[in-house]
Amino acid sequence: MSFVEYGDTIKDGDTAIVFLGHESMFPVKVQHGTVTQTKYGVIRHSTDLIGKKYGSKVTCSKGGWVFILHPTPELWTMNLPHRTQILYSTDISIITMMLELKPGSIVCESGTGSGSLSHALIRTVAPTGHLYTVEFHQQRAEKAREEFREHGVEHLVTVTNQDVCKNGFGVSNIADAVFLDIPSPWEAIGHAKSALKTEGGRICSFSPCIEQVQRTCLAMEEYGFTEINTLEILLRVYNVRTISLQIPDLGKAAEGDSSMGFDSSNPSRQGSPCTNLQQGTVQFKSGVPLREMVGHTGYLTFATKS
Protein backbone atom coordinates (compact mmCIF):
# COMPACT_ATOMS: atom_id res chain seq x y z
CA MET A 1 0.00 0.00 0.00
CA SER A 2 1.22 3.47 -0.87
CA PHE A 3 -0.41 6.88 -0.84
CA VAL A 4 0.86 7.46 -4.40
CA GLU A 5 0.18 4.01 -5.89
CA TYR A 6 -3.11 2.13 -5.80
CA GLY A 7 -3.30 -1.47 -4.59
CA ASP A 8 -6.27 -3.76 -5.21
CA THR A 9 -6.20 -5.83 -2.03
CA ILE A 10 -5.78 -5.03 1.67
CA LYS A 11 -2.52 -6.36 3.11
CA ASP A 12 -1.16 -6.81 6.62
CA GLY A 13 0.45 -3.50 7.69
CA ASP A 14 -1.63 -1.29 5.38
CA THR A 15 -3.28 1.93 6.50
CA ALA A 16 -6.95 1.81 5.47
CA ILE A 17 -9.90 4.16 5.92
CA VAL A 18 -13.01 2.77 7.63
CA PHE A 19 -15.94 4.64 6.04
CA LEU A 20 -19.15 4.73 8.09
CA GLY A 21 -20.57 7.79 6.30
CA HIS A 22 -19.52 11.10 4.75
CA GLU A 23 -19.27 12.66 8.20
CA SER A 24 -17.91 9.57 9.96
CA MET A 25 -14.69 7.79 9.00
CA PHE A 26 -11.36 6.98 10.60
CA PRO A 27 -7.99 5.41 9.71
CA VAL A 28 -6.92 2.00 10.91
CA LYS A 29 -3.63 0.12 10.64
CA VAL A 30 -4.39 -3.37 9.40
CA GLN A 31 -2.71 -6.01 11.56
CA HIS A 32 -3.18 -9.78 11.66
CA GLY A 33 -5.07 -10.84 14.81
CA THR A 34 -6.30 -7.33 15.63
CA VAL A 35 -9.91 -6.15 15.95
CA THR A 36 -11.42 -2.67 15.53
CA GLN A 37 -14.54 -1.54 17.37
CA THR A 38 -17.21 0.48 15.55
CA LYS A 39 -20.78 1.48 16.44
CA TYR A 40 -21.90 -1.32 14.11
CA GLY A 41 -19.81 -3.94 15.88
CA VAL A 42 -16.36 -5.50 15.63
CA ILE A 43 -14.18 -5.68 12.50
CA ARG A 44 -11.73 -8.60 12.61
CA HIS A 45 -8.66 -7.72 10.56
CA SER A 46 -7.61 -11.31 9.82
CA THR A 47 -10.96 -12.42 8.39
CA ASP A 48 -12.76 -9.18 7.45
CA LEU A 49 -9.93 -7.09 5.96
CA ILE A 50 -6.74 -8.90 4.92
CA GLY A 51 -7.08 -10.23 1.39
CA LYS A 52 -10.27 -8.30 0.64
CA LYS A 53 -10.43 -5.69 -2.12
CA TYR A 54 -10.31 -2.00 -1.27
CA GLY A 55 -13.81 -0.56 -1.54
CA SER A 56 -15.36 -3.75 -0.14
CA LYS A 57 -18.49 -3.65 2.00
CA VAL A 58 -17.64 -5.29 5.32
CA THR A 59 -20.34 -6.57 7.67
CA CYS A 60 -19.60 -5.98 11.36
CA SER A 61 -20.47 -8.26 14.27
CA LYS A 62 -23.74 -6.43 15.09
CA GLY A 63 -25.01 -6.74 11.52
CA GLY A 64 -24.16 -3.20 10.41
CA TRP A 65 -21.69 -2.59 7.61
CA VAL A 66 -18.88 -0.23 6.59
CA PHE A 67 -16.73 0.36 3.51
CA ILE A 68 -12.93 -0.05 3.59
CA LEU A 69 -11.29 2.60 1.39
CA HIS A 70 -7.79 2.91 -0.04
CA PRO A 71 -6.05 5.92 1.56
CA THR A 72 -5.49 9.10 -0.43
CA PRO A 73 -4.03 12.46 0.62
CA GLU A 74 -7.56 13.91 0.64
CA LEU A 75 -8.90 11.17 2.95
CA TRP A 76 -5.79 11.41 5.14
CA THR A 77 -6.33 15.17 5.56
CA MET A 78 -9.83 14.45 6.89
CA ASN A 79 -8.73 11.66 9.25
CA LEU A 80 -5.11 12.20 10.33
CA PRO A 81 -4.13 12.56 13.99
CA HIS A 82 -3.73 16.28 14.65
CA ARG A 83 -0.35 17.22 16.11
CA THR A 84 -0.76 20.80 14.86
CA GLN A 85 -3.28 22.89 12.99
CA ILE A 86 -3.40 21.61 9.41
CA LEU A 87 -4.10 22.79 5.89
CA TYR A 88 -7.23 21.43 4.23
CA SER A 89 -7.96 20.57 0.61
CA THR A 90 -9.34 24.03 -0.18
CA ASP A 91 -5.95 25.69 0.43
CA ILE A 92 -3.89 22.67 -0.69
CA SER A 93 -5.44 22.69 -4.17
CA ILE A 94 -4.55 26.34 -4.86
CA ILE A 95 -1.05 25.85 -3.39
CA THR A 96 -0.17 22.97 -5.73
CA MET A 97 -1.54 24.91 -8.72
CA MET A 98 0.07 28.28 -7.97
CA LEU A 99 3.45 26.68 -7.20
CA GLU A 100 3.23 25.01 -10.65
CA LEU A 101 4.02 21.57 -9.23
CA LYS A 102 4.12 18.47 -11.42
CA PRO A 103 5.71 15.00 -11.42
CA GLY A 104 9.46 15.45 -11.02
CA SER A 105 9.32 18.76 -9.13
CA ILE A 106 11.61 19.38 -6.16
CA VAL A 107 9.82 21.04 -3.23
CA CYS A 108 11.02 22.40 0.13
CA GLU A 109 8.52 22.69 2.97
CA SER A 110 8.57 24.07 6.52
CA GLY A 111 7.10 23.10 8.88
CA THR A 112 5.97 19.55 8.44
CA GLY A 113 3.40 19.65 11.24
CA SER A 114 0.85 16.85 10.94
CA GLY A 115 1.80 16.07 7.34
CA SER A 116 -1.47 17.06 5.68
CA LEU A 117 0.10 19.18 2.93
CA SER A 118 3.16 16.93 2.80
CA HIS A 119 1.16 13.92 1.58
CA ALA A 120 -0.48 16.00 -1.16
CA LEU A 121 2.88 17.40 -2.28
CA ILE A 122 4.43 13.93 -2.40
CA ARG A 123 1.55 12.59 -4.52
CA THR A 124 1.90 15.55 -6.90
CA VAL A 125 5.69 15.28 -7.47
CA ALA A 126 5.82 11.44 -7.60
CA PRO A 127 7.33 9.28 -9.00
CA THR A 128 10.56 11.17 -9.80
CA GLY A 129 10.29 14.32 -7.67
CA HIS A 130 11.26 14.84 -4.04
CA LEU A 131 10.05 16.71 -0.96
CA TYR A 132 12.49 18.19 1.55
CA THR A 133 10.48 18.99 4.66
CA VAL A 134 11.84 20.69 7.79
CA GLU A 135 10.23 20.47 11.25
CA PHE A 136 11.49 22.41 14.29
CA HIS A 137 9.88 20.08 16.86
CA GLN A 138 11.85 16.82 17.23
CA GLN A 139 8.96 14.54 18.23
CA ARG A 140 6.78 15.82 15.38
CA ALA A 141 9.65 15.27 12.93
CA GLU A 142 10.13 11.69 14.15
CA LYS A 143 6.40 10.96 13.96
CA ALA A 144 6.18 12.38 10.43
CA ARG A 145 9.17 10.25 9.36
CA GLU A 146 7.45 7.16 10.81
CA GLU A 147 4.18 7.90 8.99
CA PHE A 148 5.92 8.41 5.65
CA ARG A 149 7.60 5.03 6.08
CA GLU A 150 4.29 3.30 6.98
CA HIS A 151 2.58 4.94 3.99
CA GLY A 152 5.19 3.74 1.52
CA VAL A 153 6.47 7.18 0.47
CA GLU A 154 9.73 7.43 2.44
CA HIS A 155 11.78 7.30 -0.80
CA LEU A 156 10.09 10.51 -1.97
CA VAL A 157 10.64 12.65 1.14
CA THR A 158 13.49 13.75 3.39
CA VAL A 159 12.51 14.90 6.90
CA THR A 160 14.94 17.19 8.74
CA ASN A 161 14.66 18.33 12.34
CA GLN A 162 16.09 21.87 12.54
CA ASP A 163 15.20 25.56 12.69
CA VAL A 164 14.62 26.68 9.11
CA CYS A 165 15.00 30.35 10.07
CA LYS A 166 18.56 29.70 11.28
CA ASN A 167 19.74 26.67 9.29
CA GLY A 168 17.63 26.70 6.14
CA PHE A 169 16.47 23.62 4.24
CA GLY A 170 19.81 21.86 3.82
CA VAL A 171 19.76 22.15 0.00
CA SER A 172 20.87 24.87 -2.43
CA ASN A 173 19.69 25.94 -5.89
CA ILE A 174 17.64 22.81 -6.65
CA ALA A 175 14.06 23.47 -5.53
CA ASP A 176 11.32 24.34 -7.98
CA ALA A 177 9.12 25.59 -5.13
CA VAL A 178 9.26 26.45 -1.43
CA PHE A 179 6.36 26.46 1.02
CA LEU A 180 6.49 28.18 4.42
CA ASP A 181 4.03 27.60 7.27
CA ILE A 182 5.89 29.02 10.27
CA PRO A 183 5.23 31.86 12.76
CA SER A 184 7.83 34.22 11.28
CA PRO A 185 8.20 33.38 7.58
CA TRP A 186 10.04 36.65 6.84
CA GLU A 187 13.04 35.25 8.72
CA ALA A 188 13.25 32.31 6.30
CA ILE A 189 12.91 34.17 2.99
CA GLY A 190 16.69 34.34 2.51
CA HIS A 191 17.07 30.58 3.05
CA ALA A 192 14.13 29.97 0.71
CA LYS A 193 15.85 31.99 -2.01
CA SER A 194 19.03 29.94 -1.52
CA ALA A 195 17.12 26.66 -1.83
CA LEU A 196 15.29 27.67 -5.02
CA LYS A 197 16.74 27.05 -8.46
CA THR A 198 18.70 29.84 -10.07
CA GLU A 199 15.74 31.49 -11.76
CA GLY A 200 11.97 31.12 -11.89
CA GLY A 201 11.34 29.20 -8.67
CA ARG A 202 8.08 29.83 -6.84
CA ILE A 203 7.47 30.46 -3.14
CA CYS A 204 4.31 30.35 -1.02
CA SER A 205 3.86 31.52 2.57
CA PHE A 206 0.81 30.65 4.67
CA SER A 207 -0.01 33.03 7.53
CA PRO A 208 -3.21 33.52 9.55
CA CYS A 209 -2.57 37.22 10.38
CA ILE A 210 -2.29 40.12 7.95
CA GLU A 211 0.61 41.61 9.96
CA GLN A 212 2.63 38.48 9.17
CA VAL A 213 1.76 38.90 5.50
CA GLN A 214 2.96 42.51 5.47
CA ARG A 215 6.36 41.67 6.96
CA THR A 216 6.74 38.67 4.63
CA CYS A 217 5.97 40.76 1.53
CA LEU A 218 8.56 43.36 2.59
CA ALA A 219 11.15 40.59 3.02
CA MET A 220 10.29 39.14 -0.39
CA GLU A 221 10.81 42.54 -2.02
CA GLU A 222 14.11 42.95 -0.18
CA TYR A 223 15.39 39.62 -1.54
CA GLY A 224 14.34 40.44 -5.10
CA PHE A 225 11.19 38.32 -5.48
CA THR A 226 8.67 39.49 -8.06
CA GLU A 227 4.98 38.85 -8.87
CA ILE A 228 4.13 39.06 -5.16
CA ASN A 229 0.42 38.55 -4.50
CA THR A 230 -1.73 37.40 -1.58
CA LEU A 231 -4.90 35.30 -1.76
CA GLU A 232 -7.55 34.30 0.76
CA ILE A 233 -9.58 31.20 -0.09
CA LEU A 234 -13.06 31.10 1.44
CA LEU A 235 -15.24 27.99 1.20
CA ARG A 236 -19.03 28.37 1.31
CA VAL A 237 -21.06 25.16 1.62
CA TYR A 238 -24.72 24.98 0.53
CA ASN A 239 -27.29 22.63 2.02
CA VAL A 240 -29.81 21.44 -0.60
CA ARG A 241 -33.22 20.79 0.93
CA THR A 242 -36.93 20.73 0.08
CA ILE A 243 -38.91 23.73 1.32
CA SER A 244 -42.62 24.58 1.18
CA LEU A 245 -44.11 28.01 0.44
CA GLN A 246 -47.71 29.11 0.42
CA ILE A 247 -49.31 29.92 -2.91
CA PRO A 248 -50.10 33.66 -2.90
CA ASP A 249 -53.72 34.78 -3.12
CA LEU A 250 -53.75 37.08 -6.18
CA GLY A 251 -57.51 37.63 -6.29
CA LYS A 252 -60.36 36.41 -8.50
CA ALA A 253 -58.86 37.66 -11.72
CA ALA A 254 -55.78 35.55 -11.15
CA GLU A 255 -57.81 32.45 -10.25
CA GLY A 256 -59.09 32.17 -13.81
CA ASP A 257 -55.75 32.94 -15.40
CA SER A 258 -54.27 29.65 -16.56
CA SER A 259 -50.94 31.33 -17.24
CA MET A 260 -50.27 31.36 -13.49
CA GLY A 261 -49.93 27.59 -13.56
CA PHE A 262 -52.17 26.92 -10.53
CA ASP A 263 -55.38 25.89 -12.36
CA SER A 264 -56.67 22.86 -10.43
CA SER A 265 -59.07 22.00 -13.30
CA ASN A 266 -56.13 21.36 -15.63
CA PRO A 267 -55.61 17.56 -15.70
CA SER A 268 -51.96 17.99 -16.62
CA ARG A 269 -51.36 19.80 -13.30
CA GLN A 270 -53.12 17.26 -11.11
CA GLY A 271 -50.93 14.77 -9.29
CA SER A 272 -47.82 16.92 -9.73
CA PRO A 273 -45.15 15.94 -7.15
CA CYS A 274 -44.09 19.58 -6.79
CA THR A 275 -47.47 21.01 -5.73
CA ASN A 276 -50.05 20.50 -3.01
CA LEU A 277 -52.95 22.72 -4.05
CA GLN A 278 -55.35 21.38 -1.40
CA GLN A 279 -53.11 22.84 1.32
CA GLY A 280 -52.21 25.92 -0.73
CA THR A 281 -48.47 25.26 -0.77
CA VAL A 282 -45.82 24.48 -3.35
CA GLN A 283 -42.65 22.48 -2.71
CA PHE A 284 -39.32 22.88 -4.46
CA LYS A 285 -35.60 22.30 -3.96
CA SER A 286 -33.52 25.14 -2.58
CA GLY A 287 -29.86 25.68 -1.78
CA VAL A 288 -29.27 27.36 1.58
CA PRO A 289 -25.83 28.26 3.03
CA LEU A 290 -24.97 26.64 6.34
CA ARG A 291 -25.54 28.89 9.33
CA GLU A 292 -22.09 28.06 10.71
CA MET A 293 -19.05 27.22 8.59
CA VAL A 294 -15.29 27.55 8.54
CA GLY A 295 -14.41 31.09 7.50
CA HIS A 296 -10.93 32.55 7.44
CA THR A 297 -8.11 29.99 7.60
CA GLY A 298 -5.14 32.02 6.45
CA TYR A 299 -3.53 34.17 3.75
CA LEU A 300 -1.50 32.60 0.95
CA THR A 301 1.28 34.84 -0.37
CA PHE A 302 2.95 33.77 -3.63
CA ALA A 303 6.03 35.15 -5.37
CA THR A 304 8.58 34.27 -8.05
CA LYS A 305 12.37 34.25 -7.77
CA SER A 306 13.66 36.72 -10.34
Side-chain angles (χ1 to χ4, degrees):
M1 184 277 302
S2 171
F3 273 56
V4 297
E5 297 176 357
Y6 182 77
D8 287 332
T9 58
I10 305 170
K11 299 180 177 63
D12 189 15
D14 282 3
T15 298
I17 305 298
V18 179
F19 181 89
L20 292 83
H22 289 289
E23 301 297 329
S24 179
M25 62 184 91
F26 59 90
V28 61
K29 185 174 182 180
V30 180
Q31 293 179 310
H32 185 78
T34 302
V35 298
T36 296
Q37 296 283 350
T38 74
K39 64 181 180 180
Y40 300 126
V42 172
I43 301 174
R44 295 174 176 83
H45 294 200
S46 300
T47 57
D48 297 334
L49 299 184
I50 297 177
K52 300 291 182 65
K53 287 185 175 294
Y54 277 108
S56 296
K57 183 178 180 180
V58 174
T59 302
C60 304
S61 62
K62 293 182 180 179
W65 48 265
V66 299
F67 288 104
I68 308 300
L69 305 181
H70 192 285
T72 65
E74 290 81 8
L75 288 175
W76 186 245
T77 291
M78 297 171 63
N79 295 282
L80 58 78
H82 285 233
R83 299 182 290 272
T84 61
Q85 291 290 336
I86 68 170
L87 289 176
Y88 290 92
S89 298
T90 307
D91 289 313
I92 292 173
S93 59
I94 197 70
I95 290 169
T96 55
M97 184 188 74
M98 294 293 288
L99 290 182
E100 302 174 3
L101 301 182
K102 60 185 181 299
S105 296
I106 306 297
V107 185
C108 292
E109 175 197 24
S110 183
T112 312
S114 301
S116 174
L117 176 64
S118 303
H119 282 80
L121 294 177
I122 291 170
R123 199 256 310 267
T124 302
V125 304
T128 56
H130 200 83
L131 172 66
Y132 294 90
T133 182
V134 178
E135 173 57 51
F136 176 79
H137 194 276
Q138 182 179 358
Q139 291 181 335
R140 288 201 294 261
E142 293 174 352
K143 186 61 179 177
R145 192 179 291 112
E146 177 186 342
E147 285 180 349
F148 293 142
R149 182 171 59 254
E150 292 178 352
H151 297 166
V153 297
E154 71 277 7
H155 62 292
L156 296 169
V157 57
T158 299
V159 182
T160 305
N161 172 221
Q162 64 186 29
D163 186 350
V164 70
C165 296
K166 295 181 179 179
N167 306 114
F169 293 93
V171 297
S172 300
N173 301 323
I174 66 169
D176 297 290
V178 169
F179 177 79
L180 298 174
D181 183 6
I182 55 178
S184 52
W186 56 89
E187 296 181 359
I189 298 300
H191 293 296
K193 183 177 181 179
S194 299
L196 287 168
K197 58 187 180 182
T198 305
E199 185 178 0
R202 295 278 287 167
I203 184 174
C204 174
S205 174
F206 176 89
S207 297
C209 301
I210 195 64
E211 292 81 5
Q212 293 170 303
V213 174
Q214 292 171 332
R215 295 190 65 175
T216 302
C217 289
L218 291 174
M220 288 178 175
E221 289 182 345
E222 180 181 348
Y223 281 96
F225 283 90
T226 59
E227 300 178 344
I228 302 171
N229 64 87
T230 299
L231 307 176
E232 182 184 22
I233 310 301
L234 299 178
L235 177 65
R236 190 173 190 184
V237 180
Y238 277 79
N239 181 27
V240 178
R241 61 184 184 182
T242 301
I243 65 174
S244 298
L245 293 178
Q246 288 186 342
I247 298 174
D249 183 4
L250 301 179
K252 294 183 179 181
E255 291 178 359
D257 188 353
S258 61
S259 65
M260 295 302 295
F262 299 124
D263 185 0
S264 59
S265 63
N266 187 350
S268 65
R269 297 292 298 174
Q270 295 179 1
S272 173
C274 296
T275 60
N276 189 348
L277 299 179
Q278 288 75 15
Q279 297 183 10
T281 62
V282 59
Q283 294 182 337
F284 59 91
K285 296 290 185 180
S286 175
V288 181
L290 300 181
R291 292 187 177 183
E292 295 183 2
M293 66 186 74
V294 177
H296 172 77
T297 57
Y299 300 102
L300 294 169
T301 300
F302 296 91
T304 303
K305 182 177 179 180
S306 177

